[in-house]
Amino acid sequence: MKAKFLVPLVIFLALAGFLAYGLKLNPREVPSPLVGKPAPAFSVAQLQAPEASFSSADMRGQVWLLNVWASWCVSCRQEHPLLVELGRRGVVPVVGLNYKDGRADALDYLVRHGNPYTTIAVDPEGKVGFDYGVYGTPETFLIDREGVIRYKHIGPLTREHFERVLMPMITELSRAG
Amino acid sequence: MIAELGHFALILALVLACVQAVVPLVGAQQNRYALMAVGRPAAQAQLFFLLFAYGCLTWAFVTSDFTVRLAAVNSHTATPLIYKITGVWGNHEGSLLLWAASLSLWTVAVTIFSRDLPEAFMARVLGVLGAISAGFVSFTLFTSNPFTRLLPAAAEGRDLNPLLQDPGMIIHPPLLYMGYVGFSVAFAFAIAALLSGRLDAAWARWSRPWTTAAWVFLTAGIAVGSGWAYYELGWGGWWFWDPVENASFMPWLLGTALIHSLAVTEKRGAFRNWTVLLAISAFSMSLLGTFLVRSGVITSVHAFATDPARGLYILVLLVLVIGISLTLFAWRAPRLTGGGSFALMSRESTLLGNNVLFAVVTGAVLLGTLYPLFLDALNMGKISVGPPYFEAVFVPLMVPVVVLMVIGPFVRWKNDDSARIVRRLAPGAIVSVLLGVGLAVVVGNFTWRTVLGLALAAWVLIGSVQLLRARVAERPGAAAGAGVRLRGIPAAWWGMWLAHLGVGVFIIGVTMVGSLESELDVRMKDGQTARLAGYTFTFRGVVDAPGPNYLAARATIEVARGERQIATLTPEKRLYLAQQMPMTEASLDIGPFRDVYVSLGDELEDGSWIVSLYHKPFISWIWLGCTLMGVGGICAAADRRYRRLAERRVPAAATQSA
Amino acid sequence: MPAERFLHSLRTAALLLACCAAGAAHAAGEAVPVSDDPVLEARVLALSHNLRCLVCQNESVAESRAPLAVDMRNQVREQLAAGKSEKEVVDFLIARFGDFVVFTPPFKASTVLLWLGPAILLVAALGAFALRLRRRQQEVPVPLGEAERVRARALLEAAPPPEEPYK
């Protein structure tokens, strides 16, 4: 058996290895290049008090979550109970970004499903969302005291994922400094 | 009840596939004819049960039996009958059943048309095909059973994806599958040859018509698919380098290489281990394509809903089939050498050059398709590899292939005089370059792409004429009329000639539409006109035009050139009710030198409509070229030479049975 | 004042006529292109073809009708209109959505193999081709042995080949 005739087999097995590994990956998940970078600054109106404004700079010195949601977003409803619980327990401040939504619809949604947010910023045209590279709702960003994005989650948060990944990061970031 | 019968038939088919995989192979190894003879009836009975199962599934769709989950998810009572029937393969489970049925169809075709194969060889071929079939039927049964019940039944079905409710989709999947799966025959012949150690010119001759036939189906399948994308997606693109398109294109590239390599192996006995490797690789690419579409490792508009268990099963299948055959190759191939010497200027080296380039192109397409997956697996970020990459890689590699394609048929086997070839071809080449430059100036698009494309196409056409004249001149019996001499040319030669001509026609289409197409988006109201590429489009309003399972707004747009009315186009905007999915249905006026293409956008607040107008010069030449290639393939596969052995055998068989 | 009235009616008529003409022009005239600036629109379209619509996964921003694609097209249009170059716009989008958003992967350490791979393949394949060719040219045909000669003669004389026919 000459070595050169084994080349196709070796190439194929390497390929199969990658394919096997690929089965475990989710091709639809796109990591954000913003992780590790300062969160884009924005200053917009608040949902419940349209005359008042919310600025990302207000959150300086705190570890917080920015949760992008909308009343038309079906999968947002999946993670909503978890967010309500987080809000009640006061684990971490959760700022909502109401994305491409109508004010009345959004308020109605909160009445029906509960309001987990400390503040809600409104982004009717999706301009803030665009700066954060939002391409689907819900999306959740973890931002540290210096205003740097530490983590991004696409799709509904699950309790398991929150406890396993986000919670340790939040504890760690809150302790440091 | 019908669904259970189908399920049962599928189980029987699996049992038969296992029998077909094991018994004839054992028979061939032990030289026991009784065991070898089991292959044929097993294959035929398997086809019967697979078709029966397929029929049962179709019955569930046609009668809207929504207790069958698959029908509930992919059909609807209001779906037109033809799309109820085609809906069977518009999903993962049903298309897998079609896959298995095509494989069985090919197997039975082998038992009928290759009767004269030595018995042991036939037994091995059937054994290999049976093993593949067992793999796929079990995959269907264990992970993707199409007959799963849905109890309680759904009140109404969810309907077939509207994108698939289109005439192009009626024939595209069966053609494509026949092509994909058809390479399994060449594969089985190669494995049987490796097993028996008999890899000679006879083996190549047996394989050739099967390979060509599969290639014809694949060519037709890809062409129909791209035609479908052209008019169904609503903006006139025809090739996207989508991973799933690449998955069908890679076996095509390797299949093309295999056809040419088999020619050398048959005529000169050379490249034997290379030919075997190609036969294995072409089918491996088909399997890999199946894996990519069904496992969800790669995102694509075409991909089926996915499930990791399925991905794992099919990967294991892939590793078994390809791994075992490549191991067999590594074990047996070193013994295969010979084929005699040949010079740089020889038919062998042009064909080998063609093979090398096709292999490199396939490698490049594979690299581009899987690279995002590699990076992701190594945690090095996510990237997209799209059309710009593939075009940048594909075009420079295909140009020398086309050049070799023109030169090759003029060159003699073994050794030829370079000066003779240059004298022969240089005038045509020079004229072609001048034509390319001249035509590019005339059409007003003097870019290197246009010049290159038109010059290449011109050379292919000039070369074809020269080749035909040379062939007629060299036929014996020069005293006879040209007609007689033309008739003396074998079908296989005509096949080669037509397919190569088709490549030239294809290049004209691609070049012209790539450099000269134009488009315009306008807001139109009743009576308003718009102009594009010398055509005047007049908007004549929108009416409701509901269909059986959709609502539609249909616009009427008159197309005129100068004063002359050319066509009345009726693009639609549809809303498919079951899935609440909006669709644009473009309307085309197809012509030999241009298509006029109109699609309807949204209605605006002031009552006007957004209309997209496209002018696509020479686009139908793309499919004309593919058609010529396909017809060429049919001619080549049907050559009498491949049947001669059979004809000679018939009287012998008759005497024996008498 | 008849003259004045006449003038007035004339003016009214003219106005009416103008209105009619305008109305007719509106009803049967040229359709309005969607974009006011066709050159800019062509640039937007060309650039959008190279952008991936993230929600649809495998369509370009130019083809897709998804809201995010519309946003991205608008963003591209705005920035190009503001005088930014194609490269600046692409960099802007990559900074937000990552390399995934462009169909032409940037040339960097992790994509070296992607961009150079085909060339490496070609060089390797041509090398193997040249090697094979040299070996083939030097190969001396081995003369047939006596046994082979006999077998060849037998084969030539007694067609079909000596194999078991499949019954």
Side-chain angles (χ1 to χ4, degrees):
Chain A
M1 204 187 281
K2 276 205 262 175
K4 73 168 180 179
F5 291 101
L6 281 169
V7 171
L9 182 64
V10 171
I11 294 177
F12 168 72
L13 290 178
L15 188 67
F18 273 112
L19 293 178
Y21 197 80
L23 280 177
K24 295 203 299 185
L25 303 169
N26 177 7
R28 289 186 178 259
E29 216 165 74
V30 186
S32 173
L34 291 168
V35 171
K37 303 237 173 70
F42 62 93
S43 183
V44 293
Q46 294 188 19
L47 181 69
Q48 280 126 326
E51 61 289 344
S53 79
F54 169 83
S55 165
S56 52
D58 300 347
M59 300 304 288
R60 264 293 153 96
Q62 291 187 66
V63 176
W64 57 294
L65 292 180
L66 180 69
N67 177 258
V68 185
W69 67 282
S71 63
W72 45 259
C73 156
V74 181
S75 42
C76 294
R77 273 166 229 173
Q78 280 179 38
E79 65 171 8
H80 206 79
L82 176 68
L83 293 177
V84 171
E85 190 195 312
L86 291 181
R88 205 177 47 232
R89 276 166 47 198
V91 179
V92 61
V94 182
V95 175
L97 183 69
N98 186 233
Y99 179 74
K100 290 190 182 178
D101 209 352
R103 196 175 121 80
D105 293 337
L107 289 171
D108 183 51
Y109 177 91
L110 293 180
V111 168
R112 266 195 287 156
H113 300 278
N115 179 4
Y117 303 109
T118 48
T119 325
I120 299 168
V122 251
D123 184 21
E125 267 118 51
K127 286 215 157 69
V128 178
F130 197 86
D131 274 340
Y132 276 78
V134 170
Y135 67 86
T137 44
E139 290 189 13
T140 307
F141 295 83
L142 171 63
I143 300 171
D144 72 8
R145 291 177 182 176
E146 277 73 48
V148 175
I149 297 180
R150 289 313 185 104
Y151 186 77
K152 174 182 178 181
H153 183 84
I154 298 167
L157 273 175
T158 59
R159 187 176 307 275
E160 187 270 332
H161 188 82
F162 182 83
E163 299 296 343
R164 187 170 51 84
V165 181
L166 271 164
M167 201 55 225
M169 287 182 85
I170 293 170
T171 323
E172 176 68 29
L173 289 170
S174 310
R175 199 181 322 127
Chain B
M1 184 60 196
I2 302 272
E4 277 68 35
L5 281 179
H7 192 175
F8 187 59
L10 202 55
I11 296 171
L12 283 179
L14 176 61
V15 173
L16 285 163
C18 293
V19 170
Q20 184 194 329
V22 177
V23 179
L25 277 182
V26 172
Q29 227 47 41
Q30 303 178 345
N31 212 20
R32 285 162 65 182
Y33 285 87
L35 296 186
M36 294 188 218
V38 170
R40 278 223 296 188
Q44 286 160 355
Q46 192 195 333
L47 177 66
F48 170 80
F49 285 115
L50 281 174
L51 290 181
F52 184 82
Y54 194 85
C56 291
L57 190 59
T58 308
W59 182 256
F61 273 68
V62 169
T63 58
S64 296
D65 178 1
F66 297 139
T67 59
V68 175
R69 197 191 60 84
L70 202 63
V73 174
N74 293 290
S75 195
H76 189 278
T77 46
T79 313
L81 179 63
I82 184 75
Y83 297 125
K84 284 181 180 165
I85 296 171
T86 63
V88 176
W89 61 65
N91 56 77
H92 165 74
E93 291 86 347
S95 65
L96 206 55
L97 195 53
L98 181 67
W99 208 108
S102 328
L103 178 61
S104 189
L105 211 58
W106 279 106
T107 311
V108 170
V110 171
T111 65
I112 293 171
F113 294 108
S114 288
R115 271 192 290 269
D116 313 286
L117 290 178
E119 197 154 354
F121 193 84
M122 172 67 101
R124 290 193 172 104
V125 167
L126 291 182
V128 172
L129 289 170
I132 298 168
S133 183
F136 274 89
V137 176
S138 63
F139 178 47
T140 313
L141 268 175
F142 298 142
T143 72
S144 322
N145 182 6
F147 298 105
T148 308
R149 288 286 190 178
L150 181 71
L151 295 171
E156 186 49 276
R158 268 190 261 158
D159 206 355
L160 177 65
N161 182 346
L163 272 174
L164 305 181
Q165 299 194 22
D166 175 88
M169 276 295 125
I170 298 172
I171 50 171
H172 165 64
L175 285 175
L176 200 65
Y177 280 31
M178 284 300 279
Y180 256 178
V181 179
F183 284 126
S184 64
V185 178
F187 171 82
F189 275 64
I191 298 300
L194 282 176
L195 283 173
S196 63
R198 180 177 179 171
L199 271 152
D200 50 14
W203 159 72
R205 193 170 67 211
W206 297 332
S207 300
R208 278 185 82 180
W210 294 108
T211 311
T212 313
W215 180 88
V216 169
F217 277 110
L218 193 57
T219 307
I222 294 174
V224 171
S226 106
W228 165 80
Y230 168 61
Y231 65 78
E232 188 67 19
L233 297 185
W235 60 278
W238 58 276
W239 190 259
F240 308 92
W241 297 103
D242 178 274
V244 172
E245 280 176 343
N246 293 348
S248 67
F249 192 46
M250 289 186 283
W252 188 88
L253 289 168
L254 286 183
T256 312
L258 178 60
I259 287 175
H260 292 90
S261 167
L262 276 169
V264 185
T265 307
E266 189 202 354
K267 292 255 158 84
R268 304 273 307 148
F271 308 167
R272 288 189 294 174
N273 42 38
W274 173 248
T275 306
V276 170
L277 185 59
L278 272 181
I280 295 173
S281 311
F283 184 58
S284 302
M285 284 297 169
S286 296
L287 291 179
L288 183 71
T290 308
F291 171 78
L292 290 181
V293 181
R294 293 164 197 278
S295 66
V297 294
I298 264 167
T299 56
S300 162
V301 273
H302 300 67
F304 290 107
T306 51
D307 166 356
R310 286 177 189 165
L312 190 65
Y313 197 103
I314 203 163
L315 185 64
V316 169
L317 205 60
L318 203 71
V319 170
L320 284 179
V321 174
I322 305 175
I324 291 176
S325 44
L326 286 178
T327 310
L328 193 62
F329 171 78
W331 177 37
R332 288 294 175 100
R335 285 201 242 156
L336 307 167
T337 48
S341 65
F342 56 85
L344 174 63
M345 186 51 89
S346 65
R347 181 77 65 84
E348 287 94 328
S349 75
T350 58
L351 286 168
L352 185 59
N354 140 311
N355 267 236
V356 163
L357 287 166
F358 269 112
V360 171
V361 171
T362 311
V365 174
L366 185 66
L367 184 70
T369 308
L370 295 181
Y371 205 82
L373 180 71
F374 295 155
L375 276 198
D376 199 10
L378 297 172
N379 211 5
M380 289 168 74
K382 283 228 172 182
I383 59 162
S384 304
V385 180
Y389 171 83
F390 290 105
E391 274 159 28
V393 169
F394 187 71
V395 174
L397 286 170
M398 279 324 261
V399 170
V401 172
V402 176
V403 170
L404 279 177
M405 183 189 90
V406 178
I407 300 173
F410 288 98
V411 184
R412 295 195 190 111
W413 293 102
K414 213 167 168 187
N415 194 0
D416 204 337
D417 176 12
S418 305
R420 184 186 79 90
I421 299 296
V422 171
R423 272 201 308 279
R424 195 73 190 275
L425 293 173
I430 293 167
V431 171
S432 306
V433 172
L434 293 177
L435 265 175
V437 172
L439 286 172
V441 171
V442 169
V443 302
N445 190 288
F446 192 73
T447 57
W448 69 267
R449 260 196 118 98
T450 314
V451 172
L452 179 71
L454 292 177
L456 269 180
W459 201 32
V460 174
L461 301 189
I462 291 173
S464 294
V465 174
Q466 282 183 302
L467 190 65
L468 183 59
R469 286 184 54 189
R471 178 78 201 199
V472 172
E474 81 186 15
R475 290 297 299 170
V484 175
R485 275 180 280 152
L486 276 177
R487 250 175 285 146
I489 298 175
W493 190 89
W494 280 119
M496 178 273 288
W497 189 79
L498 276 174
H500 287 186
L501 189 68
V503 173
V505 172
F506 177 83
I507 297 173
I508 295 177
V510 175
T511 309
M512 294 297 272
V513 77
S515 30
L516 297 178
E517 66 181 333
S518 50
E519 60 176 280
L520 179 68
D521 289 351
V522 288
R523 299 194 176 102
M524 293 187 110
K525 267 191 177 169
D526 267 10
Q528 284 190 328
T529 58
R531 264 178 272 277
L532 178 74
Y535 292 87
T536 309
F537 300 81
T538 311
F539 194 73
R540 294 287 176 214
V542 173
V543 292
D544 284 338
N549 51 346
Y550 59 84
L551 300 174
R554 180 189 294 155
T556 304
I557 292 172
E558 288 166 2
V559 185
R561 186 170 183 104
E563 293 302 302
R564 201 162 54 86
Q565 198 69 28
I566 287 177
T568 303
L569 299 180
T570 52
E572 291 182 13
K573 196 163 173 66
R574 293 182 181 168
L575 180 73
Y576 279 82
L577 295 167
Q579 302 196 349
Q580 286 294 307
M581 181 163 164
M583 289 278 302
T584 53
E585 197 74 9
S587 179
L588 292 77
D589 181 47
I590 297 170
F593 299 108
R594 55 98 195 106
D595 282 8
V596 172
Y597 186 116
V598 173
S599 70
L600 187 64
D602 293 320
E603 187 177 14
L604 299 170
E605 278 152 13
D606 66 346
S608 61
W609 289 77
I610 291 184
V611 180
S612 301
L613 311 169
Y614 302 86
H615 177 247
K616 305 250 170 199
F618 286 83
I619 191 158
S620 42
W621 289 46
I622 290 174
W623 292 287
L624 178 65
C626 295
T627 309
L628 285 174
M629 289 184 229
V631 172
I634 293 171
C635 289
D639 194 298
R640 276 176 46 224
R641 207 156 44 87
Y642 302 122
R643 294 199 306 264
R644 201 170 295 156
L645 196 68
E647 280 160 17
R648 217 192 284 142
R649 278 294 170 75
V650 172
T655 25
Q656 273 173 10
S657 59
Chain C
M1 280 165 217
E4 247 189 65
R5 194 172 296 163
F6 176 72
L7 264 176
H8 179 80
S9 53
L10 205 70
R11 208 180 297 143
T12 320
L15 239 161
L16 260 173
L17 212 79
C19 279
C20 286
H26 191 69
E30 286 283 316
V32 196
V34 169
S35 144
D36 315 327
D37 184 351
V39 181
L40 175 70
E41 205 50 38
R43 283 176 70 200
V44 172
L45 205 68
L47 188 58
S48 318
H49 270 298
N50 190 26
L51 297 175
R52 177 177 223 146
C53 161
L54 294 159
V55 269
C56 1
Q57 297 288 343
N58 236 20
E59 265 181 309
S60 80
V61 165
E63 296 142 29
S64 174
R65 291 182 180 80
L68 182 80
V70 176
D71 278 0
M72 283 171 82
R73 268 202 302 269
N74 289 337
Q75 193 61 237
V76 168
R77 189 177 295 116
E78 249 171 57
Q79 299 206 2
L80 284 178
K84 282 201 185 176
S85 72
E86 265 82 358
K87 188 176 179 312
E88 284 172 313
V89 177
V90 167
D91 288 345
F92 172 85
L93 291 170
I94 288 181
R96 272 155 191 76
F97 296 100
D99 291 336
F100 194 67
V101 80
V102 280
F103 274 125
T104 322
F107 187 84
K108 54 188 193 185
S110 61
T111 58
V112 166
L113 256 182
L114 174 68
W115 284 106
L116 299 186
I120 296 170
L121 271 178
L122 183 66
V123 170
L126 287 181
F129 176 60
L131 217 79
R132 170 60 73 91
L133 208 65
R134 262 194 34 205
R135 210 171 339 132
R136 286 287 182 176
Q137 277 170 317
Q138 288 158 357
E139 203 166 274
V140 186
V142 188
L144 294 182
E146 190 49 39
E148 281 171 305
R149 246 176 242 282
V150 170
R151 191 159 165 262
R153 204 170 298 128
L155 280 173
L156 281 170
E157 281 161 7
E163 287 152 4
E164 278 302 311
Y166 196 97
K167 273 164 272 183

